[in-house]
Amino acid sequence: MERNGKRSGLNGAQLKGIAFGTMVVDHAAVMLLQETGTLYWSMRLIGRLAFPLYCFLLAEGFCHTRSAGRYLGRLAALAVVSEIPFNLLNRGAAADPMHQNVMFTLFLGLLALWGNMTLQNRGKAFAGLLWCACMAALAEVFRTDYGWAGVALVVCLHRFRAAEVPRTVTGFATLMLGVSPVEITALFSFALMNLYNGERGGGRGQRLFYLSYPLHLLVLWGVAQFL
């Protein structure tokens, strides 16, 4: 369905906006509130929508990118730049070898898609699955946020990108089994995916969106220092 030449539903930029907004709510609870009380847990539950949406947009971006290599490079650079702000938010210290930021998880997820596609194109479907499993294992080894389940979610969302019911069932099950029952509200993010109209949206400003992840972490950390 189209209105004024545009498809109805949500475009990629709008989904990114929702993902970013819910992520900020989640991180604000972590940084500014005590780990008790209704407000804290309400904000954390709202934040469960963010990661699945980012994984979905990553899978969509992989299908439309002109260069998977440059896409991987941008994510790798963002992961490195974001690590100190992430550590400050979660541990209050610049270094924390026991927990790496979610951009490393997305990087491994994208690497899983790239390797799987390359191997499948060579007629090596089973090797492609093994490659994805190895990327999920690396997420556990390096203790990236969401671990193996994060990489598996990216793969599931790509595999079932054109099938709403399998995408929802496999994606939601991955989060519930691989992370924790607190991911229950992530179910709403799959409903939002089903509203995606296939349009990118956002124009050139999307490149600045990459900087929003480390910057919002630094802002929240700075605010916490004054409270």
Side-chain angles (χ1 to χ4, degrees):
M1 184 175 179
E2 295 187 1
R3 296 178 182 176
N4 299 322
K6 295 183 178 181
R7 298 177 186 175
S8 60
L10 298 172
N11 62 37
Q14 290 168 331
L15 287 177
K16 279 185 179 179
I18 295 171
F20 179 70
T22 53
M23 178 179 65
V24 171
V25 169
D26 182 54
H27 290 166
V30 172
M31 198 70 207
L32 306 177
L33 300 178
Q34 299 292 325
E35 295 184 15
T36 56
T38 302
L39 179 60
Y40 173 83
W41 284 109
S42 295
M43 293 172 70
R44 296 307 309 275
L45 289 171
I46 290 171
R48 299 310 92 207
L49 277 68
F51 183 68
L53 289 175
Y54 278 121
C55 290
F56 172 74
L57 292 166
L58 182 76
E60 287 293 317
F62 174 73
C63 292
H64 296 100
T65 186
R66 295 179 181 177
S67 173
R70 286 199 293 269
Y71 199 175
L72 282 164
R74 289 195 297 269
L75 267 181
L78 181 60
V80 172
V81 169
S82 302
E83 186 61 13
I84 290 178
F86 175 80
N87 291 335
L88 290 172
L89 179 74
N90 287 277
R91 295 291 185 269
D96 180 14
M98 302 304 292
H99 195 188
Q100 317 311 321
N101 75 78
V102 75
M103 293 301 162
F104 283 108
T105 311
L106 295 178
F107 170 78
L108 290 172
L110 185 60
L111 197 58
L113 297 184
W114 174 78
N116 184 46
M117 181 191 70
T118 301
L119 290 166
Q120 284 198 354
N121 289 342
R122 296 175 181 174
K124 300 178 179 179
F126 183 70
L129 291 176
L130 286 179
W131 174 265
C132 292
C134 287
M135 295 304 102
L138 282 178
E140 288 295 316
V141 169
F142 291 105
R143 297 179 179 271
T144 69
D145 210 15
Y146 283 91
W148 71 264
V151 175
L153 179 59
V154 172
V155 174
C156 287
L157 293 178
H158 180 264
R159 171 64 179 82
F160 299 110
R161 63 186 295 263
E164 294 180 0
V165 174
R167 179 175 67 200
T168 300
V169 171
T170 59
F172 186 60
T174 298
L175 285 172
M176 293 297 290
L177 294 173
V179 186
S180 76
V182 76
E183 299 294 325
I184 183 70
T185 49
L187 187 60
F188 292 104
S189 65
F190 292 91
L192 292 171
M193 294 175 203
N194 295 341
L195 296 176
Y196 178 55
N197 62 14
E199 295 182 351
R200 182 179 181 182
R204 296 180 180 179
Q206 287 196 84
R207 292 185 178 181
L208 298 175
F209 193 83
Y210 282 98
L211 296 176
S212 65
Y213 181 72
L215 285 178
H216 93 276
L217 295 176
L218 286 173
V219 169
L220 287 174
W221 177 77
V223 170
Q225 306 313 300
F226 289 97
L227 295 180

